[in-house]
Amino acid sequence: DTDIDPTRESFGQVGYVALRKMIEDWQENAQSGFVFDIKNELGEEYYYSNQTINTLGAVFNAGFGAIYATTASALLVINENPSYIDAADITDPKYLSENELVRYISPPQATRRFAGRDMDFFGFKFKRGQPIYTLFAAANRDPEKFEQPHILDPNRKNAKDHLGFGRGGHFC
């Protein structure tokens, strides 16, 4: 994120331009599917709006980035912890080890939100519009929420309470 490391701005800009070109190609060449349906349902003006372009970018990121990051990381963690599979109680109908993997890995490590109003949050003051960074990985290792948070436990009872992909409405 360029707010954290401004030297990465050129990399982000290259990625943004490439994604924008891909989306514009989708929009121009769609003959069927959900991109085509958006155009038919919403009309040309809305179809080419920044909101639609951002939504299509989010669909691409959520459908690609989160999947490869989660899958690759899960395979790596399981490979490094082979006892994880043996320790999982798969006879339990509440078998939640996939949630534990997501909690432990936290595929998206962080995201940025913006304060909707001036506010005081546990002593931290934010002005309306100020960026706020949420660190999913840190929340998923919170010892007040998860007992022994740095241990990979396939039978963790509250694993489903992770913030592996965030919570609530957001832009991926």
Side-chain angles (χ1 to χ4, degrees):
D1 193 308
T2 57
D3 286 338
I4 295 172
D5 182 358
T7 64
R8 300 182 72 74
E9 183 171 11
S10 62
F11 298 111
Q13 189 61 31
V14 168
Y16 172 79
V17 169
L19 181 60
R20 181 83 182 220
K21 170 82 173 92
M22 184 180 73
I23 291 168
E24 288 170 358
D25 287 347
W26 285 352
Q27 289 179 303
E28 291 302 318
N29 300 311
Q31 299 297 316
S32 64
F34 83 95
V35 176
F36 183 76
D37 293 343
I38 291 171
K39 185 176 188 178
N40 288 335
E41 291 292 323
L42 302 176
E44 297 260 339
E45 182 180 326
Y46 185 79
Y47 184 64
Y48 292 104
S49 71
N50 282 334
Q51 184 176 359
T52 300
I53 290 168
N54 287 341
T55 299
L56 291 172
V59 168
F60 173 79
N61 283 329
F64 175 71
I67 291 171
Y68 86 78
T70 305
T71 303
S73 297
L75 291 171
L76 179 65
V77 166
I78 290 170
N79 186 56
E80 291 174 346
N81 299 277
S83 63
Y84 182 76
I85 299 295
D86 295 333
D89 179 6
I90 59 174
T91 62
D92 183 344
K94 294 180 181 152
Y95 178 60
L96 298 173
S97 67
E98 70 275 4
N99 281 309
E100 175 64 359
L101 280 169
V102 172
R103 182 203 68 81
Y104 187 79
I105 296 165
S106 297
Q109 296 282 303
T111 192
R112 179 175 63 175
R113 301 286 189 267
F114 296 92
R117 59 182 167 77
D118 289 354
M119 59 186 284
D120 182 305
F121 186 74
F122 294 97
F124 294 92
K125 298 192 184 319
F126 297 97
K127 297 285 186 196
R128 184 177 194 273
Q130 180 180 352
I132 301 170
Y133 294 90
T134 56
L135 303 175
F136 302 137
N140 287 334
R141 299 292 178 98
D142 182 353
E144 291 184 24
K145 180 71 178 175
F146 301 103
E147 187 177 328
Q148 296 183 305
H150 299 295
I151 303 292
L152 182 63
D153 178 1
N155 300 305
R156 187 180 300 276
K157 298 301 180 202
N158 66 338
K160 66 178 177 29
D161 297 334
H162 67 79
L163 295 177
F165 298 110
R167 220 13 89 78
H170 61 279
F171 179 93
C172 292

